Amino acid sequence: MDQKTTGELMQLLSSAKNISDLKQYTDALADMTSSVTFPEYLNELMHARGVTASKLISAAQIQRNYGYQILDGRRSPSRDKVISLCLALKLELPETQRALTLTKNGQLYSKNKRDSILIFAFVKKLSVIDTNVLLEEMNEPVLN
């Protein structure tokens, strides 16, 4: 089955008339959505950008062993670790939002002060270090 966008899924869900339609929708949901994992997604992007795991982990300011455990799927990263990895990989905002969704972390929200600073950091392609400096200057918690 074709992969569906969130908008298309919402339209299908909204058209459900009864519990039977809802059950049919939820049963087919796995086929309509991507089954890629966060480590697979990140490794795909790393490969496309020619970035090695060691360089990514170093740029993300993540402890080496923990970083490799995230990349091979043995550990689930916190929201801040996902953001750090995405900043280090110089991902675009939509790619970052996808990464946050795959890890079941909340997407960046422009009405939240800290998130709006982070969105600015992605748009301006700031490093993790520069982002932390900016967060600190704006009296917000740094990425940990």
Side-chain angles (χ1 to χ4, degrees), residues 1-2 6 9 11 16 21 26 28 31 35 39 42 46 54 67 70-71 76 80 82 98 100-101 122 128 141 144:
M1 189 177 277
D2 291 336
T6 302
L9 291 172
Q11 193 171 32
D21 288 351
T26 58
D31 292 335
S35 60
L42 204 58
M46 288 168 48
S54 62
I70 291 170
L71 293 178
S76 295
D80 277 0
V82 173
R98 174 99 172 103
L100 289 165
T101 298
F122 277 101
V128 172
N144 54 30

Side-chain angles (χ1 to χ4, degrees), residues 101-114:
T101 298
L102 288 172
T103 56
K104 295 180 176 44
N105 285 297
Q107 290 190 351
L108 295 171
Y109 184 54
S110 60
K111 289 186 177 182
N112 174 287
K113 180 181 176 185
R114 184 172 188 261

Side-chain angles (χ1 to χ4, degrees), residues 110-140:
S110 60
K111 289 186 177 182
N112 174 287
K113 180 181 176 185
R114 184 172 188 261
D115 282 3
S116 62
I117 295 165
L118 292 168
I119 290 168
F120 176 87
F122 277 101
V123 170
K124 298 299 181 184
K125 302 282 187 211
L126 298 182
S127 68
V128 172
I129 292 171
D130 290 339
T131 300
N132 279 336
V133 168
L134 179 60
L135 285 165
E136 200 166 66
E137 286 175 2
M138 303 284 290
N139 296 316
E140 290 295 322

